[in-house]
Amino acid sequence: MPKHLAIIMDGNGRWAEERGRPRIDGHRHGVNRVRDITEASAKKGIRDLTLFAFSSENWRRPEAEVRLLTELLMTSLEGEIETLHRNGIRLRVIGDLRPFGKKIEKMVAEATRLTRSNTTLGLNLAVNYGGHWDITNACARLLADIQEGSDSDLEIGHEALESRLSTAGIPAPDLFIRTGGEQRLSNFLLWQLAYTELYFTTTLWPDFNSDALDSALADYRSRQRRFGKTAQQVV
Ligand code: IPE
Ligand code: IPE
Ligand code: MG
């Protein structure tokens, strides 16, 4: 079982278009899958689930879709906090929340604080997230900490940078899933996916149920993770 699963939830728009319905309907159905997959992941003993909900590039979509999508995201999140907490889920939102305003930032901060001691599953929601942003932001923080000078041993290095990423403290994903058929990373966790097993499926996100998750997990179990070593070294 992967300890950390990261998913690009893609294909909502096409799911709706195939049915002659507005794209936002696909996003609405996608929210139900978020609920199911979160629950299934917790049951299977996955420790962390990171979901790409809105990318730093998604602002380029038509204004109406951006508005509906971000509204859906924030109302769903707000509506789920109590259930998440009751189910022992620890919430973290990764990404730049500033464009959403003070009220949303406060809501997320409170939800994070409320759920911080929960241990069943870490749910990391990537909102206005981009891998380039994450790495740039970590560099800026590291530079500021070096200049501030309170730790004279602090220098640019792997650990120093990694501990300033938005995923600090969470081990790198073991398995990455992208639904919707595209085979690209679309600026998701660029640093963190360095040694992750990649799995692509044509299933659209609103159809991605727990059976589809089981297929991905079965595929993952057939992989040999070598991390640079030879096959003999890892058996
Ligand atoms: C994924 O579905 C959800 C987000 C990007 C927010 P899309 O909206 O990208 O769906 P397709 O790829 O157009 O089908
Ligand atoms: C990636 O999907 C972002 C999310 C799922 C949130 P996109 O549909 O935006 O990706 P591209 O633009 O096709 O690469
Ligand atoms: Mg898409």
Side-chain angles (χ1 to χ4, degrees):
M1 199 54 72
K3 287 193 181 70
H4 182 180
L5 170 62
I7 308 182
I8 297 187
M9 312 182 287
D10 197 17
N12 294 348
R14 279 164 286 164
W15 185 92
E17 281 158 12
E18 277 174 9
R19 287 161 179 75
R21 305 221 289 259
R23 291 175 57 87
I24 189 69
D25 274 19
H27 298 312
R28 286 202 189 96
H29 281 265
V31 174
N32 298 331
R33 296 294 86 75
V34 171
R35 226 174 267 124
D36 298 347
I37 296 303
T38 303
E39 198 178 300
S41 300
K43 265 203 198 118
K44 289 173 193 300
I46 290 168
R47 307 303 307 154
D48 268 285
L49 174 66
T50 303
L51 301 176
F52 206 3
F54 189 85
S55 79
S56 47
E57 287 70 36
N58 286 145
W59 298 106
R60 298 172 185 159
R61 294 190 176 199
E63 207 183 304
E65 178 166 345
V66 169
R67 185 171 42 79
L68 290 173
L69 183 54
T70 52
E71 271 172 21
L72 174 69
L73 208 80
M74 295 311 168
T75 49
S76 306
L77 180 60
E78 196 165 20
E80 294 292 326
I81 290 166
E82 266 178 49
T83 316
L84 291 175
H85 187 44
R86 207 176 326 114
N87 293 336
I89 290 162
R90 189 176 61 259
L91 178 77
R92 187 191 293 197
V93 176
I94 61 172
D96 185 0
L97 284 178
R98 286 172 303 180
F100 298 100
K102 284 272 175 284
K103 198 168 150 252
I104 296 293
E105 284 189 88
K106 192 162 166 264
M107 185 262 285
V108 169
E110 278 169 11
T112 308
R113 204 176 317 116
L114 175 73
T115 63
R116 72 184 311 158
S117 307
N118 292 343
T119 55
T120 306
L121 172 80
L123 175 64
N124 314 301
L125 208 58
V127 181
N128 189 20
Y129 177 88
H132 289 169
W133 165 83
D134 203 358
I135 295 167
T136 309
N137 198 43
C139 289
R141 288 165 69 179
L142 178 53
L143 182 65
D145 289 345
I146 290 172
Q147 284 172 341
E148 192 239 342
S150 63
D151 176 0
S152 57
D153 293 335
L154 188 61
E155 47 181 70
I156 295 170
H158 185 279
E159 297 310 317
L161 195 70
E162 196 164 67
S163 64
R164 286 165 180 81
L165 291 169
S166 64
T167 50
I170 306 168
D174 303 291
L175 175 63
F176 160 96
I177 298 174
R178 182 173 187 144
T179 65
E182 311 298 347
Q183 303 195 1
R184 53 177 173 252
L185 298 181
S186 300
N187 199 17
F188 195 30
L189 308 162
L190 296 179
W191 171 286
Q192 296 87 339
L193 293 174
Y195 251 107
T196 303
E197 297 298 325
L198 307 179
Y199 178 87
F200 298 95
T201 171
T202 53
T203 303
L204 304 174
W205 177 251
D207 293 326
F208 194 82
N209 56 21
S210 69
D211 288 344
L213 175 62
D214 285 340
S215 302
L217 294 172
D219 193 293
Y220 173 76
R221 279 191 286 275
S222 74
R223 314 272 182 104
Q224 185 185 52
R225 305 192 71 193
R226 289 195 284 275
F227 297 99
K229 297 178 180 175
T230 68
Q232 284 96 325
Q233 281 177 295
V234 293
V235 282

Coordinates of all heavy atoms in Angstrom, one line a residue, residues 8-10 52-55 58 61 178 182 184 186, ligand 2:
I8 N -4.1 13.8 -9.7 CA -4.6 14.9 -10.5 C -6.0 14.4 -11.0 O -6.1 13.5 -11.7 CB -3.7 15.2 -11.8 CG1 -2.3 15.7 -11.3 CG2 -4.4 16.2 -12.7 CD1 -1.4 16.2 -12.5
M9 N -7.0 15.1 -10.5 CA -8.4 14.8 -10.7 C -8.8 15.5 -12.0 O -9.3 16.6 -12.0 CB -9.2 15.3 -9.5 CG -8.7 14.9 -8.2 SD -9.7 15.4 -6.8 CE -9.5 17.1 -6.8
D10 N -8.6 14.8 -13.1 CA -8.9 15.5 -14.4 C -10.0 14.8 -15.2 O -10.2 13.6 -15.0 CB -7.6 15.4 -15.3 CG -7.6 16.4 -16.4 OD1 -8.5 17.4 -16.4 OD2 -6.8 16.3 -17.3
F52 N -5.1 17.4 -6.5 CA -5.0 18.7 -7.2 C -6.4 19.2 -7.6 O -7.1 18.6 -8.4 CB -4.2 18.4 -8.5 CG -3.4 19.6 -9.0 CD1 -3.4 20.8 -8.4 CD2 -2.7 19.5 -10.2 CE1 -2.7 21.9 -8.9 CE2 -2.0 20.5 -10.7 CZ -2.0 21.7 -10.1
A53 N -6.8 20.2 -6.9 CA -8.2 20.7 -7.1 C -8.2 22.0 -8.0 O -9.2 22.1 -8.8 CB -8.8 21.1 -5.8
F54 N -7.2 22.8 -8.0 CA -7.2 24.0 -8.8 C -5.7 24.4 -9.0 O -5.0 24.7 -8.0 CB -8.0 25.1 -8.2 CG -8.2 26.3 -9.0 CD1 -9.3 26.3 -9.9 CD2 -7.4 27.4 -9.0 CE1 -9.5 27.4 -10.7 CE2 -7.6 28.5 -9.8 CZ -8.7 28.5 -10.7
S55 N -5.3 24.5 -10.3 CA -3.9 24.8 -10.5 C -3.7 26.3 -10.7 O -4.6 27.1 -11.0 CB -3.4 24.1 -11.8 OG -3.8 24.8 -12.9
N58 N -5.1 27.4 -13.9 CA -6.5 27.3 -14.1 C -7.2 28.7 -14.2 O -8.4 28.8 -14.6 CB -7.2 26.3 -13.1 CG -7.0 24.9 -13.4 OD1 -6.9 24.1 -12.5 ND2 -6.8 24.5 -14.7
R61 N -8.8 29.9 -17.5 CA -10.1 29.5 -18.0 C -11.1 30.6 -18.1 O -10.9 31.7 -17.5 CB -10.6 28.4 -17.1 CG -9.8 27.1 -17.2 CD -10.4 26.0 -16.5 NE -9.5 24.8 -16.6 CZ -9.9 23.5 -16.4 NH1 -11.1 23.3 -16.1 NH2 -9.0 22.6 -16.6
R178 N -3.2 10.0 -12.5 CA -3.9 11.1 -13.2 C -5.0 10.5 -14.0 O -4.8 9.6 -14.8 CB -3.0 11.8 -14.2 CG -3.7 13.0 -14.9 CD -2.9 13.8 -15.8 NE -3.7 15.0 -16.2 CZ -3.2 16.2 -16.4 NH1 -2.0 16.5 -16.2 NH2 -4.0 17.2 -16.8
E182 N -4.8 12.3 -20.0 CA -3.6 13.1 -20.3 C -2.4 12.5 -19.6 O -2.6 12.1 -18.4 CB -3.7 14.6 -20.0 CG -5.0 15.3 -20.4 CD -5.2 15.3 -21.9 OE1 -4.2 15.0 -22.6 OE2 -6.3 15.6 -22.3
R184 N 0.6 13.9 -18.4 CA 1.6 15.0 -18.1 C 1.3 15.4 -16.6 O 0.3 15.0 -16.0 CB 1.3 16.2 -19.0 CG -0.1 16.7 -19.1 CD -0.2 18.0 -20.0 NE -1.6 18.4 -20.2 CZ -2.3 18.2 -21.3 NH1 -1.7 17.7 -22.4 NH2 -3.6 18.6 -21.4
S186 N 1.4 18.7 -15.5 CA 0.6 20.0 -15.4 C 1.0 20.8 -14.2 O 0.2 21.4 -13.5 CB -0.9 19.8 -15.4 OG -1.3 19.1 -16.6
Ligands
IPE2 C1 -4.7 19.9 -14.0 O1 -5.7 19.7 -14.9 C2 -5.2 20.7 -12.8 C3 -6.2 20.1 -12.0 C4 -6.7 18.9 -12.1 C5 -6.6 20.8 -10.8 P1 -5.9 20.6 -16.2 O2 -7.0 20.1 -17.0 O3 -5.9 22.1 -15.8 O4 -4.5 20.4 -17.0 P2 -4.0 20.7 -18.5 O5 -4.2 22.2 -18.6 O6 -4.9 19.9 -19.4 O7 -2.6 20.3 -18.5

